[in-house]
Amino acid sequence: MPEETIGLLLVDAARLLRIQIDRALDGAGLGLTAGEARTLAYVSLYPASRQTTLAAQMNVEPMTLVTFLDRLERRGLVARETDPTDRRAKTVQLAPDVQQTLEQVLGITRKVQEEALRDFDPDEIEKLRGLLKRMRSNIAGSELGREQA
């Protein structure tokens, strides 16, 4: 019987983690979809990013991101501004009053992550984080990664 590949293990683990996060967000009563919560998290990680860049970072279609941003903007959680270097482009920022909602979203995802890593010791978690970052960097720097970026 062939051994599971790293790719299959990563995809399965990511899928299961995302399902757990989606369930936890649904149960929290924040009134945010998982996509909207994920968008908030990405905007906090990449402030003042162009919408197209943010969509690529999130690996979603630009129109999907626009739908999330429209909803978040209506709720006063994000703000879109004209990019000072290109009037046709928009950058995305967190709104001033978003901190409490963002902390709730990040707290929920942190709890799910802690459960997923419950029997890992801190050194293993740091090692895993470092290995995944290195893998991501290798893929992003490869010919295939540049074609898909």
Side-chain angles (χ1 to χ4, degrees):
M1 186 162 162
E3 188 173 316
E4 290 179 289
T5 66
I6 297 288
L8 286 177
L9 290 169
L10 274 172
V11 168
D12 283 348
R15 179 182 56 80
L16 292 169
L17 186 63
R18 193 165 178 180
I19 288 169
Q20 289 301 103
I21 290 170
D22 289 352
R23 286 180 183 155
L25 286 167
D26 285 344
L30 297 175
L32 294 173
T33 67
E36 292 163 359
R38 187 168 169 247
T39 301
L40 274 182
Y42 269 86
V43 173
S44 74
L45 285 171
Y46 305 101
S49 289
R50 286 185 177 184
Q51 289 181 176
T52 54
T53 303
L54 199 56
Q57 284 292 122
M58 292 177 63
N59 196 30
V60 298
E61 292 296 321
M63 287 308 299
T64 300
L65 177 63
V66 166
T67 301
F68 294 149
L69 291 173
D70 286 346
R71 290 186 205 139
L72 292 169
E73 193 171 39
R74 278 194 300 274
R75 290 191 56 189
L77 300 174
V78 298
R80 289 183 272 196
E81 300 171 1
T82 302
D83 186 328
T85 63
D86 183 349
R87 294 180 327 186
R88 297 167 297 172
K90 298 280 188 186
T91 61
V92 185
Q93 303 271 6
L94 292 175
D97 295 336
V98 74
Q99 204 55 44
Q100 181 181 1
T101 303
L102 181 61
E103 285 174 16
Q104 288 177 296
V105 167
L106 296 177
I108 289 165
T109 58
R110 201 171 15 260
K111 276 184 178 179
V112 171
Q113 178 179 292
E114 286 170 1
E115 178 60 24
L117 299 171
R118 72 178 172 276
D119 59 349
F120 287 54
D121 66 51
D123 290 339
E124 287 176 314
I125 293 169
E126 284 310 306
K127 181 76 168 179
L128 178 60
R129 182 178 280 112
L131 291 169
L132 289 171
K133 283 181 177 181
R134 196 163 89 207
M135 183 179 191
R136 178 179 65 189
S137 178
N138 287 347
I139 294 168
S142 75
E143 198 60 38
L144 179 60
R146 282 192 297 275
E147 287 174 12
Q148 294 182 2

